[in-house]
Coordinates of all heavy atoms in Angstrom, one line a residue:
M1 N -157.6 19.4 130.1 CA -156.5 18.4 130.1 C -156.4 17.7 131.4 O -156.3 18.4 132.4 CB -155.2 19.0 129.7 CG -154.0 18.1 129.7 SD -153.9 16.9 128.5 CE -153.4 17.8 127.1
V2 N -156.4 16.4 131.4 CA -156.3 15.6 132.7 C -154.9 15.0 132.6 O -154.4 14.5 131.6 CB -157.4 14.6 132.8 CG1 -157.4 13.6 131.7 CG2 -157.3 13.9 134.1
N3 N -154.2 15.0 133.8 CA -152.9 14.4 133.9 C -152.9 13.2 134.8 O -153.2 13.3 136.0 CB -151.9 15.5 134.5 CG -151.8 16.7 133.6 OD1 -151.3 16.6 132.5 ND2 -152.3 17.8 134.1
I4 N -152.6 12.0 134.2 CA -152.7 10.8 134.9 C -151.3 10.1 135.0 O -150.7 9.9 134.0 CB -153.6 9.8 134.2 CG1 -155.0 10.4 134.1 CG2 -153.7 8.5 134.9 CD1 -156.0 9.7 133.2
L5 N -150.8 9.9 136.2 CA -149.5 9.3 136.5 C -149.7 7.9 136.9 O -150.4 7.6 137.8 CB -148.8 10.1 137.5 CG -147.5 9.5 138.0 CD1 -146.4 9.4 136.9 CD2 -146.9 10.3 139.2
L6 N -149.0 7.0 136.2 CA -149.0 5.6 136.6 C -147.6 5.3 137.2 O -146.6 5.7 136.7 CB -149.2 4.7 135.4 CG -150.6 4.4 135.0 CD1 -151.4 5.7 134.6 CD2 -150.7 3.4 133.8
V7 N -147.6 4.6 138.4 CA -146.4 4.3 139.0 C -146.2 2.8 139.2 O -147.2 2.1 139.5 CB -146.3 4.9 140.4 CG1 -145.0 4.5 141.2 CG2 -146.4 6.4 140.4
C8 N -145.1 2.3 138.8 CA -144.8 0.8 139.0 C -143.3 0.7 139.5 O -142.7 1.7 139.8 CB -145.0 0.0 137.7 SG -143.8 0.3 136.4
S9 N -142.8 -0.5 139.6 CA -141.5 -0.6 140.2 C -140.4 0.0 139.3 O -139.5 0.6 139.9 CB -141.2 -2.1 140.4 OG -141.4 -2.9 139.3
A10 N -140.5 -0.1 138.0 CA -139.4 0.5 137.2 C -140.0 1.3 136.0 O -139.2 1.9 135.3 CB -138.5 -0.6 136.6
G11 N -141.3 1.4 135.9 CA -141.9 2.2 134.8 C -142.0 1.5 133.5 O -142.5 2.0 132.6
M12 N -141.6 0.2 133.5 CA -141.6 -0.5 132.2 C -143.0 -1.2 132.0 O -143.5 -1.0 130.9 CB -140.5 -1.6 132.2 CG -139.1 -1.0 132.3 SD -138.9 0.0 130.8 CE -137.1 0.3 131.0
S13 N -143.5 -2.0 132.9 CA -144.7 -2.7 132.7 C -145.9 -1.8 132.4 O -146.8 -2.2 131.6 CB -145.0 -3.7 133.8 OG -145.1 -2.9 135.0
T14 N -145.9 -0.6 133.0 CA -147.0 0.3 132.8 C -147.0 1.0 131.5 O -147.9 1.6 131.0 CB -147.1 1.3 134.0 OG1 -145.9 1.9 134.1 CG2 -147.6 0.6 135.2
S15 N -145.8 1.0 130.8 CA -145.7 1.7 129.5 C -146.7 1.2 128.5 O -147.2 2.0 127.7 CB -144.3 1.8 129.0 OG -143.8 0.4 128.8
M16 N -146.9 -0.1 128.5 CA -147.9 -0.7 127.6 C -149.3 -0.2 127.9 O -150.1 0.1 127.1 CB -147.8 -2.2 127.6 CG -146.6 -2.8 127.0 SD -146.6 -4.6 126.8 CE -146.5 -5.0 128.6
L17 N -149.6 -0.2 129.2 CA -150.9 0.3 129.7 C -151.1 1.7 129.3 O -152.2 2.1 128.9 CB -151.0 0.0 131.2 CG -152.4 0.3 131.8 CD1 -153.5 -0.4 131.1 CD2 -152.4 0.0 133.3
V18 N -150.1 2.5 129.4 CA -150.2 4.0 129.1 C -150.6 4.1 127.6 O -151.5 4.9 127.3 CB -148.8 4.7 129.3 CG1 -148.8 6.0 128.6 CG2 -148.5 4.9 130.8
K19 N -150.0 3.3 126.7 CA -150.4 3.4 125.3 C -151.8 3.0 125.1 O -152.6 3.7 124.4 CB -149.5 2.4 124.5 CG -149.7 2.5 123.0 CD -148.6 1.6 122.3 CE -148.7 1.5 120.9 NZ -149.6 2.2 120.1
K20 N -152.3 2.0 125.8 CA -153.7 1.5 125.7 C -154.6 2.6 126.2 O -155.7 2.9 125.7 CB -153.9 0.2 126.4 CG -153.1 -0.9 125.9 CD -153.8 -1.5 124.7 CE -153.1 -2.8 124.3 NZ -153.6 -3.4 123.2
M21 N -154.2 3.3 127.3 CA -155.1 4.3 127.9 C -155.1 5.5 127.0 O -156.2 6.2 126.8 CB -154.5 4.7 129.3 CG -154.7 3.7 130.3 SD -153.9 4.1 131.9 CE -154.9 5.5 132.5
Q22 N -154.0 5.9 126.3 CA -153.9 7.0 125.4 C -154.8 6.7 124.2 O -155.6 7.6 123.7 CB -152.5 7.2 124.9 CG -151.6 7.8 126.0 CD -150.1 7.8 125.7 OE1 -149.7 7.0 124.9 NE2 -149.4 8.7 126.3
E23 N -154.8 5.5 123.7 CA -155.7 5.1 122.6 C -157.2 5.3 123.0 O -158.0 5.8 122.3 CB -155.4 3.7 122.2 CG -154.1 3.5 121.5 CD -153.7 2.1 121.3 OE1 -154.4 1.1 121.7 OE2 -152.6 1.8 120.7
A24 N -157.5 4.8 124.2 CA -158.9 4.9 124.7 C -159.3 6.4 124.9 O -160.4 6.7 124.5 CB -159.0 4.2 126.1
A25 N -158.4 7.2 125.4 CA -158.7 8.6 125.6 C -158.9 9.3 124.2 O -159.9 10.1 124.0 CB -157.6 9.3 126.3
A26 N -158.1 9.0 123.2 CA -158.3 9.6 121.9 C -159.6 9.1 121.3 O -160.3 10.0 120.7 CB -157.1 9.2 121.0
K27 N -159.9 7.9 121.5 CA -161.2 7.4 120.9 C -162.4 8.1 121.5 O -163.4 8.4 120.8 CB -161.3 5.9 121.2 CG -162.5 5.2 120.6 CD -162.6 3.7 120.9 CE -162.9 3.5 122.4 NZ -164.1 3.0 122.8
D28 N -162.3 8.4 122.8 CA -163.4 9.1 123.5 C -163.3 10.6 123.4 O -164.1 11.3 124.1 CB -163.5 8.6 124.9 CG -163.9 7.1 125.0 OD1 -164.4 6.6 124.1 OD2 -163.6 6.5 126.1
G29 N -162.3 11.1 122.8 CA -162.2 12.6 122.7 C -161.8 13.2 124.0 O -162.1 14.4 124.2
I30 N -161.0 12.5 124.8 CA -160.6 13.0 126.1 C -159.2 13.5 126.0 O -158.3 12.8 125.5 CB -160.7 11.9 127.2 CG1 -162.1 11.5 127.4 CG2 -160.1 12.4 128.5 CD1 -162.3 10.2 128.2
E31 N -158.9 14.8 126.4 CA -157.6 15.3 126.3 C -156.9 14.8 127.6 O -157.3 15.2 128.7 CB -157.6 16.8 126.3 CG -158.0 17.3 124.9 CD -157.8 18.8 124.8 OE1 -156.8 19.4 125.3 OE2 -158.7 19.5 124.3
A32 N -155.9 14.0 127.5 CA -155.2 13.4 128.6 C -153.7 13.3 128.4 O -153.3 12.9 127.3 CB -155.8 12.0 128.9
N33 N -153.0 13.7 129.4 CA -151.5 13.5 129.4 C -151.3 12.3 130.4 O -151.6 12.4 131.6 CB -150.9 14.7 129.9 CG -149.4 14.6 130.0 OD1 -148.8 13.8 129.3 ND2 -148.7 15.3 131.0
I34 N -150.9 11.1 129.9 CA -150.8 9.9 130.7 C -149.3 9.4 130.5 O -148.8 9.3 129.4 CB -151.7 8.8 130.1 CG1 -153.2 9.3 130.1 CG2 -151.6 7.6 131.0 CD1 -154.1 8.5 129.3
W35 N -148.7 9.2 131.7 CA -147.3 8.7 131.6 C -147.0 7.8 132.8 O -147.7 7.8 133.8 CB -146.3 9.9 131.6 CG -146.1 10.7 132.8 CD1 -145.0 10.6 133.6 CD2 -147.0 11.7 133.4 NE1 -145.2 11.5 134.7 CE2 -146.4 12.2 134.6 CE3 -148.3 12.2 133.1 CZ2 -147.0 13.1 135.4 CZ3 -148.9 13.1 133.9 CH2 -148.2 13.6 135.1
A36 N -145.9 7.0 132.7 CA -145.6 6.1 133.7 C -144.1 6.3 134.1 O -143.3 6.7 133.3 CB -145.7 4.7 133.1
V37 N -143.9 6.1 135.4 CA -142.6 6.2 136.0 C -142.4 5.1 137.0 O -143.3 4.6 137.5 CB -142.3 7.6 136.7 CG1 -142.4 8.8 135.7 CG2 -143.2 7.8 137.8
G38 N -141.1 4.9 137.4 CA -140.8 4.0 138.4 C -141.0 4.7 139.8 O -141.0 6.0 139.8
D39 N -141.0 4.0 140.8 CA -141.1 4.5 142.2 C -140.1 5.6 142.5 O -140.4 6.7 143.0 CB -141.0 3.4 143.2 CG -141.0 3.9 144.6 OD1 -141.8 4.9 144.9 OD2 -140.3 3.4 145.5
A40 N -138.9 5.4 142.0 CA -137.8 6.4 142.3 C -138.1 7.8 141.7 O -137.7 8.8 142.3 CB -136.5 5.9 141.8
E41 N -138.8 7.8 140.6 CA -139.1 9.1 139.9 C -140.5 9.7 140.4 O -140.8 10.8 140.0 CB -139.1 8.8 138.4 CG -137.8 8.3 137.9 CD -137.9 7.8 136.5 OE1 -138.8 8.3 135.7 OE2 -137.1 6.9 136.1
S42 N -141.2 9.0 141.2 CA -142.6 9.4 141.5 C -142.6 10.7 142.3 O -143.5 11.6 142.1 CB -143.3 8.3 142.3 OG -142.7 7.9 143.4
P43 N -141.7 11.0 143.2 CA -141.7 12.3 144.0 C -141.6 13.5 143.1 O -142.3 14.5 143.3 CB -140.6 12.2 144.9 CG -140.3 10.8 145.2 CD -140.6 10.1 143.8
T44 N -140.9 13.4 142.0 CA -140.7 14.6 141.1 C -141.9 14.7 140.1 O -142.2 15.7 139.5 CB -139.4 14.6 140.3 OG1 -139.3 13.4 139.6 CG2 -138.2 14.8 141.3
N45 N -142.6 13.6 139.9 CA -143.7 13.5 138.9 C -145.0 13.8 139.5 O -145.9 14.2 138.9 CB -143.6 12.2 138.1 CG -142.6 12.2 137.0 OD1 -142.9 12.6 135.9 ND2 -141.4 11.8 137.4
A46 N -145.2 13.4 140.8 CA -146.5 13.5 141.5 C -147.1 14.9 141.4 O -148.3 15.0 141.2 CB -146.4 13.0 142.9
P47 N -146.3 16.0 141.6 CA -146.9 17.3 141.6 C -147.6 17.7 140.2 O -148.5 18.5 140.2 CB -145.8 18.2 141.9 CG -144.8 17.4 142.6 CD -144.9 16.0 142.0
K48 N -147.2 17.0 139.2 CA -147.7 17.3 137.8 C -149.0 16.6 137.5 O -149.7 16.8 136.5 CB -146.7 16.9 136.8 CG -145.3 17.6 136.9 CD -144.3 17.0 136.0 CE -142.9 17.2 136.4 NZ -142.0 16.3 135.7
A49 N -149.4 15.6 138.4 CA -150.5 14.7 138.1 C -151.8 15.2 138.8 O -151.7 15.8 139.9 CB -150.2 13.3 138.6
D50 N -152.9 14.9 138.2 CA -154.2 15.1 138.8 C -154.7 13.9 139.6 O -155.5 14.0 140.5 CB -155.3 15.4 137.7 CG -155.0 16.7 137.0 OD1 -154.6 17.7 137.6 OD2 -155.1 16.7 135.7
V51 N -154.2 12.7 139.2 CA -154.4 11.4 139.8 C -153.2 10.5 139.7 O -152.5 10.6 138.7 CB -155.7 10.8 139.2 CG1 -155.6 10.5 137.8 CG2 -156.1 9.5 140.0
I52 N -153.0 9.7 140.7 CA -151.9 8.8 140.7 C -152.4 7.4 140.8 O -153.1 7.1 141.7 CB -150.9 9.1 141.8 CG1 -150.3 10.5 141.7 CG2 -149.7 8.1 141.8 CD1 -149.5 11.0 142.8
M53 N -152.1 6.6 139.8 CA -152.5 5.2 139.8 C -151.3 4.3 140.0 O -150.3 4.5 139.3 CB -153.2 4.9 138.4 CG -154.3 5.8 138.0 SD -155.7 5.7 139.1 CE -156.3 4.0 138.7
L54 N -151.4 3.3 140.9 CA -150.3 2.4 141.2 C -150.5 1.1 140.5 O -151.6 0.5 140.6 CB -150.1 2.2 142.7 CG -149.9 3.5 143.5 CD1 -150.0 3.1 145.0 CD2 -148.6 4.2 143.2
G55 N -149.5 0.5 140.0 CA -149.6 -0.9 139.5 C -149.8 -1.8 140.6 O -149.3 -1.6 141.7
P56 N -150.5 -2.9 140.4 CA -150.8 -3.8 141.5 C -149.6 -4.4 142.2 O -149.6 -4.6 143.4 CB -151.6 -4.9 140.9 CG -152.1 -4.4 139.6 CD -151.1 -3.3 139.2
Q57 N -148.5 -4.5 141.5 CA -147.2 -5.0 142.0 C -146.6 -4.1 143.0 O -145.7 -4.5 143.8 CB -146.3 -5.4 140.9 CG -145.6 -4.3 140.2 CD -146.5 -3.7 139.0 OE1 -147.7 -3.8 139.1 NE2 -145.8 -3.1 138.1
V58 N -147.0 -2.8 143.0 CA -146.4 -1.8 144.0 C -147.5 -1.3 144.9 O -147.4 -0.1 145.4 CB -145.7 -0.7 143.3 CG1 -144.4 -1.2 142.6 CG2 -146.5 0.1 142.3
R59 N -148.5 -2.0 145.2 CA -149.6 -1.6 146.0 C -149.1 -1.2 147.4 O -149.7 -0.3 148.1 CB -150.7 -2.6 146.1 CG -150.4 -3.9 146.8 CD -151.5 -4.9 147.0 NE -152.8 -4.5 146.6 CZ -153.5 -4.8 145.5 NH1 -152.9 -5.7 144.7 NH2 -154.6 -4.4 145.2
F60 N -148.0 -1.7 147.8 CA -147.4 -1.4 149.1 C -147.0 0.1 149.2 O -146.7 0.6 150.2 CB -146.2 -2.3 149.4 CG -145.1 -2.2 148.5 CD1 -144.0 -1.3 148.7 CD2 -145.0 -3.0 147.3 CE1 -143.0 -1.2 147.8 CE2 -144.0 -2.9 146.4 CZ -142.9 -2.0 146.6
L61 N -146.9 0.8 148.0 CA -146.5 2.2 148.0 C -147.7 3.1 148.2 O -147.5 4.4 148.2 CB -145.9 2.5 146.6 CG -144.5 1.8 146.3 CD1 -144.1 2.1 144.8 CD2 -143.5 2.3 147.3
E62 N -148.9 2.6 148.3 CA -150.1 3.5 148.4 C -150.0 4.5 149.5 O -150.2 5.7 149.3 CB -151.3 2.6 148.5 CG -152.6 3.5 148.4 CD -153.8 2.6 148.3 OE1 -153.8 1.4 148.6 OE2 -154.9 3.2 148.0
K63 N -149.6 4.0 150.7 CA -149.5 5.0 151.8 C -148.4 6.0 151.6 O -148.6 7.2 151.8 CB -149.2 4.2 153.2 CG -149.2 5.2 154.3 CD -148.9 4.5 155.6 CE -148.8 5.4 156.9 NZ -148.5 6.8 156.7
K64 N -147.3 5.6 151.1 CA -146.2 6.5 150.8 C -146.6 7.6 149.8 O -146.4 8.8 150.0 CB -145.0 5.7 150.2 CG -143.9 6.6 149.7 CD -142.8 5.8 149.0 CE -141.8 6.7 148.3 NZ -140.8 5.9 147.5
M65 N -147.4 7.2 148.8 CA -147.8 8.1 147.7 C -148.9 9.1 148.3 O -148.9 10.3 148.1 CB -148.4 7.4 146.5 CG -147.3 6.6 145.8 SD -145.9 7.6 145.3 CE -146.6 8.8 144.2
K66 N -149.8 8.5 149.1 CA -150.8 9.4 149.8 C -150.1 10.4 150.7 O -150.6 11.6 150.8 CB -151.8 8.6 150.5 CG -152.8 7.9 149.6 CD -153.8 7.1 150.3 CE -154.8 6.4 149.3 NZ -155.8 5.7 150.0
D67 N -149.1 10.0 151.4 CA -148.4 10.9 152.3 C -147.7 12.0 151.5 O -147.6 13.1 151.9 CB -147.4 10.2 153.2 CG -148.0 9.3 154.2 OD1 -149.2 9.5 154.5 OD2 -147.3 8.5 154.8
L68 N -147.1 11.6 150.3 CA -146.4 12.5 149.4 C -147.3 13.6 148.9 O -146.9 14.8 148.9 CB -145.8 11.7 148.3 CG -145.1 12.5 147.2 CD1 -143.8 13.0 147.8 CD2 -144.8 11.6 146.0
V69 N -148.6 13.3 148.5 CA -149.5 14.3 148.0 C -150.4 14.9 149.0 O -151.2 15.8 148.7 CB -150.3 13.7 146.8 CG1 -149.3 13.3 145.7 CG2 -151.2 12.6 147.2
K70 N -150.3 14.4 150.2 CA -151.1 15.0 151.4 C -152.6 15.2 151.0 O -153.1 16.3 151.3 CB -150.4 16.3 151.8 CG -149.0 16.2 152.3 CD -148.4 17.5 152.6 CE -147.0 17.4 153.1 NZ -146.0 16.6 152.3
D71 N -153.2 14.2 150.5 CA -154.7 14.3 150.2 C -155.0 15.4 149.2 O -156.2 15.8 149.1 CB -155.5 14.4 151.5 CG -155.4 13.2 152.4 OD1 -155.3 12.1 151.8 OD2 -155.4 13.4 153.6
E72 N -154.1 15.9 148.5 CA -154.4 17.0 147.5 C -154.8 16.4 146.2 O -155.4 17.1 145.3 CB -153.1 17.8 147.2 CG -152.7 18.7 148.4 CD -151.4 19.4 148.3 OE1 -150.9 19.5 147.1 OE2 -150.9 19.9 149.3
K73 N -154.6 15.1 146.0 CA -155.0 14.4 144.8 C -155.3 12.9 145.1 O -154.6 12.4 146.0 CB -154.1 14.6 143.6 CG -152.7 14.2 143.9 CD -151.7 14.6 142.9 CE -151.4 16.1 143.1 NZ -150.6 16.7 142.1
P74 N -156.1 12.3 144.3 CA -156.4 10.9 144.6 C -155.2 9.9 144.2 O -154.5 10.2 143.2 CB -157.6 10.6 143.7 CG -157.7 11.7 142.7 CD -157.0 12.8 143.3
V75 N -155.1 8.9 145.0 CA -154.1 7.9 144.7 C -154.8 6.5 144.9 O -155.6 6.3 145.9 CB -152.9 7.9 145.8 CG1 -152.0 6.7 145.6 CG2 -152.2 9.2 145.7
Q76 N -154.7 5.6 143.9 CA -155.4 4.4 144.0 C -154.6 3.3 143.2 O -153.9 3.6 142.2 CB -156.8 4.5 143.4 CG -157.6 3.3 143.7 CD -159.1 3.5 143.3 OE1 -159.4 3.4 142.2 NE2 -159.9 3.9 144.3
V77 N -154.7 2.1 143.7 CA -154.1 0.9 143.0 C -155.0 0.5 141.8 O -156.2 0.5 142.0 CB -153.9 -0.3 144.0 CG1 -153.4 -1.5 143.3 CG2 -153.1 0.1 145.2
I78 N -154.4 0.3 140.7 CA -155.1 -0.2 139.5 C -155.7 -1.6 139.8 O -155.0 -2.4 140.3 CB -154.2 -0.2 138.3 CG1 -153.6 1.2 138.0 CG2 -154.9 -0.8 137.1 CD1 -152.5 1.2 137.0
D79 N -156.9 -1.7 139.4 CA -157.6 -3.0 139.5 C -156.7 -4.1 138.8 O -156.3 -3.9 137.7 CB -158.9 -2.9 138.8 CG -159.6 -4.2 138.6 OD1 -160.0 -4.8 139.6 OD2 -159.8 -4.7 137.5
M80 N -156.5 -5.2 139.5 CA -155.5 -6.2 139.0 C -156.0 -6.9 137.7 O -155.2 -7.1 136.8 CB -155.3 -7.3 140.1 CG -154.2 -8.2 139.7 SD -153.7 -9.4 141.0 CE -153.2 -8.4 142.3
A81 N -157.3 -7.1 137.6 CA -157.8 -7.7 136.4 C -157.6 -6.8 135.2 O -157.2 -7.2 134.1 CB -159.2 -8.1 136.5
S82 N -157.9 -5.5 135.4 CA -157.7 -4.5 134.3 C -156.2 -4.4 133.9 O -155.9 -4.2 132.8 CB -158.2 -3.1 134.7 OG -159.6 -3.2 135.0
Y83 N -155.4 -4.4 134.9 CA -153.9 -4.3 134.7 C -153.4 -5.5 134.0 O -152.7 -5.4 133.0 CB -153.2 -4.1 136.0 CG -151.7 -3.8 135.9 CD1 -151.3 -2.5 135.8 CD2 -150.8 -4.8 135.8 CE1 -150.0 -2.2 135.6 CE2 -149.4 -4.5 135.6 CZ -149.0 -3.2 135.5 OH -147.7 -2.9 135.4
G84 N -153.8 -6.7 134.4 CA -153.4 -7.9 133.8 C -153.8 -8.1 132.4 O -153.0 -8.7 131.6
T85 N -154.9 -7.6 132.0 CA -155.4 -7.7 130.6 C -155.1 -6.4 129.8 O -155.5 -6.3 128.7 CB -157.0 -7.9 130.6 OG1 -157.6 -6.8 131.3 CG2 -157.3 -9.2 131.2
M86 N -154.4 -5.5 130.5 CA -154.0 -4.2 129.8 C -155.2 -3.5 129.2 O -155.2 -3.0 128.1 CB -152.9 -4.4 128.7 CG -151.6 -4.9 129.2 SD -150.7 -3.5 130.0 CE -149.9 -4.3 131.4
N87 N -156.3 -3.4 130.0 CA -157.5 -2.8 129.6 C -157.4 -1.3 129.9 O -157.8 -0.8 130.9 CB -158.7 -3.4 130.4 CG -160.0 -3.0 129.9 OD1 -160.2 -1.9 129.3 ND2 -161.0 -3.8 130.1
G88 N -156.9 -0.6 128.9 CA -156.6 0.8 129.0 C -157.9 1.6 129.2 O -157.9 2.6 129.9
E89 N -159.0 1.2 128.5 CA -160.3 1.9 128.7 C -160.8 1.8 130.1 O -161.2 2.9 130.7 CB -161.3 1.3 127.7 CG -162.6 2.1 127.6 CD -163.5 1.6 126.5 OE1 -163.1 0.8 125.7 OE2 -164.6 2.1 126.5
K90 N -160.7 0.7 130.7 CA -161.2 0.5 132.1 C -160.4 1.3 133.1 O -160.9 1.9 134.0 CB -161.3 -1.0 132.4 CG -162.1 -1.2 133.7 CD -162.4 -2.7 133.9 CE -163.2 -2.9 135.1 NZ -163.4 -4.3 135.4
V91 N -159.0 1.3 132.9 CA -158.1 2.0 133.8 C -158.3 3.5 133.7 O -158.3 4.2 134.6 CB -156.7 1.5 133.6 CG1 -155.8 2.3 134.6 CG2 -156.5 0.1 133.9
L92 N -158.5 3.9 132.4 CA -158.8 5.3 132.2 C -160.1 5.8 132.9 O -160.1 6.8 133.6 CB -158.9 5.6 130.7 CG -159.3 7.0 130.3 CD1 -158.2 8.0 130.7 CD2 -159.5 7.1 128.8
K93 N -161.1 5.0 132.8 CA -162.4 5.3 133.5 C -162.2 5.3 135.0 O -162.8 6.1 135.7 CB -163.5 4.3 133.1 CG -164.0 4.5 131.7 CD -165.0 3.5 131.3 CE -165.5 3.8 129.9 NZ -166.4 2.8 129.4
Q94 N -161.4 4.4 135.5 CA -161.1 4.3 137.0 C -160.4 5.6 137.4 O -160.8 6.3 138.4 CB -160.2 3.1 137.3 CG -159.8 3.0 138.7 CD -158.9 1.8 139.0 OE1 -158.5 1.1 138.1 NE2 -158.5 1.7 140.3
A95 N -159.4 6.1 136.6 CA -158.7 7.3 136.9 C -159.6 8.5 136.9 O -159.6 9.4 137.8 CB -157.5 7.5 136.0
L96 N -160.4 8.6 135.8 CA -161.3 9.8 135.6 C -162.4 9.8 136.7 O -162.7 10.9 137.2 CB -162.0 9.7 134.2 CG -161.0 9.9 133.1 CD1 -161.8 9.7 131.8 CD2 -160.4 11.3 133.1
S97 N -162.8 8.7 137.2 CA -163.8 8.6 138.2 C -163.3 9.2 139.5 O -164.0 9.8 140.3 CB -164.4 7.2 138.4 OG -163.5 6.4 139.1
L98 N -162.0 9.0 139.8 CA -161.3 9.5 141.0 C -161.2 11.0 140.9 O -161.3 11.7 141.9 CB -159.9 8.8 141.2 CG -159.9 7.4 141.5 CD1 -158.5 6.8 141.4 CD2 -160.5 7.1 142.9
I99 N -160.9 11.5 139.7 CA -160.7 13.0 139.6 C -162.1 13.7 139.7 O -162.2 14.7 140.3 CB -160.1 13.3 138.2 CG1 -158.7 12.7 138.1 CG2 -160.2 14.8 137.9 CD1 -158.1 12.8 136.7
N100 N -163.1 13.0 139.3 CA -164.5 13.6 139.3 C -165.2 13.5 140.6 O -166.4 13.8 140.7 CB -165.3 13.1 138.1 CG -164.7 13.5 136.8 OD1 -164.1 14.6 136.6 ND2 -164.8 12.7 135.8
K101 N -164.6 12.9 141.6 CA -165.3 12.7 142.9 C -165.5 14.0 143.6 O -164.7 14.9 143.6 CB -164.5 11.7 143.8 CG -164.8 10.3 143.4 CD -164.2 9.4 144.5 CE -164.7 7.9 144.2 NZ -164.1 7.0 145.1

């Protein structure tokens, strides 16, 4: 089971992307727990994640999140094109590639 946390400003815009990522994971037979939270909830959710993906609109939080997890897990901004088109399959692959590094 892989745990993927998406962080955005309020947790709303990424909820659609979470659904698309869950659909892509199910299609590929990948057991994944994928959820989205706003920045305010990220400190309590980060310890549960294997990878943290940031919405492009909160890319300024990247250093804060990396400091929070102290290099224990990957943190990366979601590709803007993938986010804009809600390409759950591509974002899922981006997240999995970070975990498998």
Side-chain angles (χ1 to χ4, degrees):
M1 173 72 75
V2 62
N3 296 296
I4 303 170
L5 172 62
L6 276 59
V7 177
C8 72
S9 53
M12 296 297 186
S13 57
T14 51
S15 61
M16 288 187 292
L17 184 56
V18 166
K19 185 173 176 7
K20 299 280 189 179
M21 291 174 70
Q22 289 169 335
E23 290 169 359
K27 182 182 73 113
D28 292 341
I30 298 168
E31 288 188 42
N33 178 30
I34 307 166
W35 74 105
V37 299
D39 173 39
E41 300 166 30
S42 60
T44 57
N45 281 270
K48 305 171 202 166
D50 297 315
V51 61
I52 300 169
M53 305 295 292
L54 303 174
Q57 72 277 27
V58 293
R59 67 179 350 106
F60 62 91
L61 295 174
E62 188 172 14
K63 182 181 180 337
K64 174 186 169 185
M65 295 305 297
K66 286 182 176 181
D67 290 346
L68 179 70
V69 299
K70 298 174 179 54
D71 294 326
E72 293 173 12
K73 55 191 77 185
V75 175
Q76 192 171 80
V77 177
I78 298 169
D79 171 68
M80 191 174 297
S82 300
Y83 189 89
T85 58
M86 292 286 143
N87 188 332
E89 188 171 351
K90 193 168 181 185
V91 178
L92 177 64
K93 287 180 181 174
Q94 181 183 359
L96 293 175
S97 72
L98 293 169
I99 294 170
N100 295 326
K101 277 190 174 179

